[in-house]
Amino acid sequence: KDLPSLVKAVKDAGLKVIWTCDPMHGNTYKTNTGFKTRDFNNIVKEIINTVGIHKKIGTRLNGLHLEMCGEDVTECVGGPEKLGETDLSRCFTSACDPRLNFEQSVAVAFAVGNALRAPEAKKTMSLPQVPSVQYGSVPGMTKPVSRLIFGTLFLSKVSQPFKLLDSIWSKGVNAFDTAAIYGEPEGSCEKILGDWIKSRNVNKEQLVLITKGGCSGAESKWAARTSKAQILKDIEGSLGRLGVDTIDIYLLHRDDPSITVPEIVDTMNELIKKKKILSWGVSNWSLDRFKAAVDYAKSKDLVGPVVDSPQASLAKPAGPVWPGTTHMNAEREKYYTTKKDDVSVFAWEALAKGFMTGKWNQNDLDSVEDKPYREKTLIKAYCTGSNFKRRQRAEFLAKEKGVPLHCIALAYLLNLQCEMFVLVGTSKLNHFNSNVGMFDVTLSTKECKWLNEGGELQA
């Protein structure tokens, strides 16, 4: 029991030593008939355990002290011949210490070889001791959640997704957002994320898995599918692709008002009881339906939604940016602020699809009818007079503080009074790393108000 701490202390001290194992003398005992002997099984067990300890710590067992001979003696019990204490008298010729016979010696050699060749146990990939991000809390979750959440929407398009995920984790980001419909083909982003978790042996005590279901794909314009049968089907698919037994936070991606709130809340609580999910929330629900779910759950002593995920950014969209989506407004912000201890907000499209990085100008708005459908929708939503002014104010502060424009936009969200988390999805590591800079930006309450509303910026 003391060997692991001893080996680790020597390694940490930087000492160069030769480690040997003597499994013979410590396993010697005297039988009732007066024979001094050793148990073959205990000898092998000590060797294998010692090899395992060194592998786990990252050191090497360099030698073994064994007492053996090439003769068919009967001095140690056990082994391939299954010698017992009554067999010892048959051929006990040692004048001192009991030796392994030929069969036992060969068996030990094979056992040692197998132990040395055995693959090393995978090291658990844990978060860095000094992360580059900040953490918040989600109601019902015992694990801290990074306030920057990596969105995996584009993961299936990345040439080296594991390398990207490794780098993101190394920054301290422990929360990953995905969905049953993400990727080409659908579900491939969940599969890639799950394969990475398994390949890297990611520390599940630190990992926060967020996925979404209850939504159809592009062919049906992302229509909701939130019946009990559809939710159960989606959750089983996600669990399989992610390779886990439990999802930390499960979000319903869309809402179907024809399905009653009690039916949905009851279904989600059934999943919690079965330990399929730890907590749940919604994305793109009306505030009234969200409130109704909270109230119903409270009245029945059930677990209500603890996360709401609307579009939220410094740029306020003129309308839905995707079919069936919702976005942050003053009413929602007020509700989230008063319910800060009960509801966390996961903001998607936090940079307004690139608008808050400088994408699009007045010329794009003037020629909007010539654009493809998707881009046309986004330009009409974000390229408003009010948003151009917000961006100009953000550009001014970015220059004053010596930081990129997008860091001002993201820091603005983190400074809202609700429990805010920012979703960022990208296929490029340099883009993600630049977003981490938002944690270095300090904005005053007056600056946040000025960014949103304009007027005079007072010191």
Side-chain angles (χ1 to χ4, degrees):
K1 66 180 181 179
D2 296 325
L3 183 60
S5 57
L6 174 62
V7 173
K8 187 176 186 303
V10 172
K11 180 186 177 184
D12 291 345
L15 301 176
K16 295 183 179 180
V17 301
I18 294 175
W19 292 101
T20 62
C21 173
D22 176 1
M24 305 296 289
H25 288 86
N27 287 306
T28 304
Y29 71 98
K30 191 174 184 179
T31 69
N32 293 331
T33 54
F35 281 98
K36 181 181 178 182
T37 189
R38 292 154 175 164
D39 190 320
F40 170 87
N41 292 330
N42 289 340
I43 293 169
V44 171
K45 183 179 178 180
E46 181 170 331
I47 295 171
I48 291 174
N49 286 344
T50 303
V51 170
I53 288 168
H54 281 284
K55 281 189 174 185
K56 186 175 182 180
I57 296 174
T59 53
R60 184 186 297 273
L61 179 63
N62 305 103
L64 285 173
H65 174 92
L66 297 171
E67 289 164 333
M68 62 180 74
C69 67
E71 303 168 8
D72 190 23
V73 297
T74 56
E75 299 172 0
C76 293
V77 299
E81 300 168 294
K82 299 181 180 179
L83 298 177
E85 291 182 359
T86 56
D87 297 310
L88 297 177
S89 61
R90 193 178 76 208
C91 189
F92 199 111
T93 61
S94 174
C96 184
D97 289 334
R99 301 161 297 173
L100 297 168
N101 64 24
F102 173 76
E103 293 288 345
Q104 292 169 330
S105 299
V106 172
V108 167
F110 275 104
V112 172
N114 289 333
L116 292 172
R117 284 195 301 269
E120 295 184 22
K122 285 186 178 179
K123 294 181 180 179
T124 300
M125 189 164 78
S126 298
L127 292 170
Q129 292 185 347
V130 183
S132 303
V133 301
Q134 298 171 3
Y135 298 88
S137 60
V138 173
M141 292 285 295
T142 57
K143 294 181 276 190
V145 182
S146 56
R147 296 188 72 187
L148 177 58
I149 299 173
F150 179 67
T152 64
L153 178 61
F154 306 111
L155 201 56
S156 64
K157 299 180 180 180
V158 178
S159 59
Q160 294 180 296
F162 285 16
K163 184 177 180 180
L164 175 65
L165 293 169
D166 287 344
S167 297
I168 289 168
W169 179 267
S170 72
K171 294 292 183 183
V173 173
N174 71 333
F176 296 82
D177 171 86
T178 188
I181 63 170
Y182 284 175
E184 297 176 4
E186 288 185 2
S188 58
C189 290
E190 284 185 326
K191 182 67 167 60
I192 293 169
L193 182 61
D195 289 346
W196 171 74
I197 292 168
K198 181 179 179 180
S199 170
R200 300 302 194 254
N201 197 24
V202 175
N203 189 339
K204 291 188 176 67
E205 296 299 315
Q206 298 176 329
L207 175 69
V208 178
L209 267 181
I210 307 158
T211 194
K212 303 183 287 293
C215 179
S216 302
E219 73 286 347
S220 59
K221 293 188 177 180
W222 304 278
R225 54 183 187 202
T226 52
S227 69
K228 181 176 180 178
Q230 290 167 326
I231 292 173
L232 296 181
K233 181 180 178 180
D234 278 358
I235 191 75
E236 290 300 334
S238 291
L239 287 169
R241 288 185 292 271
L242 290 166
V244 297
D245 297 321
T246 307
I247 291 166
D248 295 295
I249 304 172
Y250 191 73
L251 305 181
L252 296 177
H253 213 162
R254 292 289 193 278
D255 184 26
D256 180 357
S258 69
I259 309 294
T260 66
V261 163
E263 179 180 340
I264 293 174
V265 175
D266 290 345
T267 298
M268 302 312 290
N269 276 262
E270 181 180 319
L271 292 173
I272 291 174
K273 288 180 181 178
K274 291 181 178 180
K275 297 184 179 180
K276 302 288 186 181
I277 62 175
L278 294 181
S279 59
W280 71 285
V282 301
S283 182
N284 304 306
W285 278 35
S286 71
L287 185 57
D288 287 341
R289 285 270 287 181
F290 184 86
K291 290 179 178 179
V294 170
D295 293 343
Y296 171 77
K298 186 176 181 179
S299 71
K300 299 295 183 180
D301 197 25
L302 297 173
V303 179
V306 296
V307 171
D308 193 7
S309 183
Q311 186 281 334
S313 66
L314 177 57
K316 318 298 181 186
V321 295
W322 292 87
T325 61
T326 59
H327 55 272
M328 180 75 95
N329 56 29
E331 183 184 9
R332 280 182 181 271
E333 185 177 342
K334 181 179 179 180
Y335 176 77
Y336 298 145
T337 301
T338 58
K339 296 288 185 179
K340 185 174 182 178
D341 294 334
D342 304 313
V343 180
S344 296
V345 182
F346 290 0
W348 56 266
E349 225 161 85
L351 292 174
K353 216 61 178 180
F355 180 84
M356 291 309 302
T357 67
K359 185 178 181 180
W360 299 312
N361 54 39
Q362 187 62 46
N363 291 334
D364 293 298
L365 183 59
D366 293 340
S367 60
V368 68
E369 296 304 327
D370 299 328
K371 305 289 185 181
Y373 165 77
R374 181 72 193 121
E375 188 174 8
K376 182 192 300 184
T377 302
L378 293 170
I379 290 173
K380 286 184 175 181
Y382 290 123
C383 292
T384 66
S386 297
N387 283 337
F388 280 128
K389 290 178 180 178
R390 290 188 179 99
R391 189 167 73 182
Q392 288 174 351
R393 293 193 289 270
E395 288 170 340
F396 173 83
L397 275 188
K399 185 176 181 180
E400 287 288 305
K401 295 178 181 289
V403 298
L405 167 63
H406 61 271
C407 287
I408 295 291
L410 295 175
Y412 165 82
L413 287 174
L414 290 184
N415 277 273
L416 296 180
Q417 296 304 303
C418 51
E419 188 66 13
M420 176 65 74
F421 297 80
V422 176
L423 284 162
V424 173
T426 180
S427 60
K428 298 178 180 178
L429 181 59
N430 63 321
H431 288 178
F432 185 85
N433 287 340
S434 68
N435 290 328
V436 175
M438 68 179 174
F439 295 107
D440 298 323
V441 177
T442 301
L443 294 176
S444 68
T445 302
K446 290 180 179 179
E447 285 173 329
C448 289
K449 181 178 176 64
W450 179 74
L451 283 169
N452 184 36
E453 300 176 5
E456 184 178 348
L457 178 60
Q458 298 179 353

